[in-house]
Amino acid sequence: KQEVTQIPAALSVPEGENLVLNCSFTDSAIYNLQWFRQDPGKGLTSLLLIQSSQREQTSGRLNASLDKSSGRSTLYIAASQPGDSATYLCAVDPSGGSYIPTFGRGTSLIVHP
Amino acid sequence: KAGVTQTPRYLIKTRGQQVTLSCSPISGHRSVSWYQQTPGQGLQFLFEYFSETQRNKGNFPGRFSGRQFSNSRSEMNVSTLELGDSALYLCASREVSNEQFFGPGTRLTVL
């Protein structure tokens, strides 16, 4: 059974810092990995999708990497801003076409001015 | 393109009642998945529909059911509500790229 762990569970940083959020998974037989952000009481917003054949994806100040062999993904946020405050979740889709993703519990990020 | 929409946004019900939630996917997306999110359990997969057929099902009791219509809109139903069903219910749609797009959720409170 796939297990997804996100470390740290919570993070509080001053504005302007570069951040690394971690996501680890136990079964490397994945189809893709997706990063989301969630604001309190809201739905999830897709940030980046990495296919299993890819090593990284970038969007603006965000960069996500994937190392299937070690079961790890990192989300790098450059020059953090207060508007980045949210919970960040990663989700792993298994290979084999089951389309049942496994989500981590998320990293709660606060960026203070 | 319009995003995923869910109605209603908020619901208050009492134990024993039943509830129906609705989800309209992004135009062209044929897959719709439903999730339950609670502080204690996190995000849990309920079921997924593709072209009007349930393709995958999570580990939830039979009180939770769903369906999908020919226009890809989906509904989920929870019968005989329990206090523990209070949660944020999220639906997500996707197309062949498999990137999931989520709706804003329905906040269900069971009293």
Side-chain angles (χ1 to χ4, degrees):
Chain A
K1 180 189 171 191
Q2 179 74 273
E3 293 183 5
V4 178
T5 304
Q6 292 188 244
I7 294 173
L11 192 58
S12 179
V13 300
E15 182 176 6
E17 280 205 4
N18 300 323
L19 307 171
V20 176
L21 307 182
N22 297 293
C23 171
S24 62
F25 46 94
T26 55
D27 186 347
S28 61
I30 69 170
Y31 185 72
N32 62 39
L33 185 146
Q34 194 168 356
W35 282 93
F36 299 90
R37 71 171 278 169
Q38 184 176 32
D39 294 287
K42 304 290 179 62
L44 278 66
T45 300
S46 176
L47 297 174
L48 291 164
L49 173 75
I50 312 177
Q51 302 288 355
S52 62
S53 58
Q54 298 174 320
R55 298 284 295 185
E56 65 178 331
Q57 283 285 346
T58 298
S59 176
R61 294 183 294 110
L62 305 178
N63 175 276
S65 66
L66 174 64
D67 184 341
K68 267 189 11 175
S69 61
S70 66
R72 295 184 61 182
S73 176
T74 59
L75 178 66
Y76 177 82
I77 304 175
S80 58
Q81 304 170 356
D84 295 330
S85 299
T87 297
Y88 290 80
L89 298 104
C90 67
V92 173
D93 258 340
S95 57
S98 77
Y99 299 106
I100 302 178
T102 302
F103 282 80
R105 295 302 297 269
T107 293
S108 176
L109 172 66
I110 296 175
V111 181
H112 47 88
Chain B
K1 278 186 182 177
V4 179
T5 59
Q6 292 187 245
T7 57
R9 295 293 310 280
Y10 303 92
L11 266 178
I12 300 176
K13 294 286 188 179
T14 57
R15 280 179 296 175
Q17 287 187 310
Q18 74 166 20
V19 67
T20 299
L21 313 182
S22 180
C23 172
S24 292
I26 291 173
S27 177
H29 289 190
R30 290 183 293 167
S31 167
V32 174
S33 297
W34 288 91
Y35 297 86
Q36 181 194 68
Q37 188 178 35
T38 59
Q41 299 296 322
L43 255 171
Q44 294 186 284
F45 174 84
L46 282 157
F47 29 67
E48 184 225 1
Y49 285 86
F50 182 84
S51 294
E52 302 181 63
T53 301
Q54 187 180 87
R55 186 160 67 173
N56 291 288
K57 188 178 189 304
N59 189 26
F60 277 81
R63 299 186 298 107
F64 292 81
S65 63
R67 59 177 175 168
Q68 187 180 33
F69 302 94
S70 59
N71 62 358
S72 293
R73 188 177 71 85
S74 177
E75 290 181 345
M76 69 163 280
N77 183 277
V78 188
S79 62
T80 319
L81 284 165
E82 301 177 359
L83 294 178
D85 297 333
S86 294
L88 181 65
Y89 289 88
L90 295 162
C91 84
S93 74
R94 57 167 131 194
E95 55 175 355
V96 293
S97 69
N98 288 308
E99 183 174 5
Q100 286 200 94
F101 295 91
F102 280 78
T106 294
R107 170 71 64 185
L108 172 65
T109 301
V110 182
L111 302 176

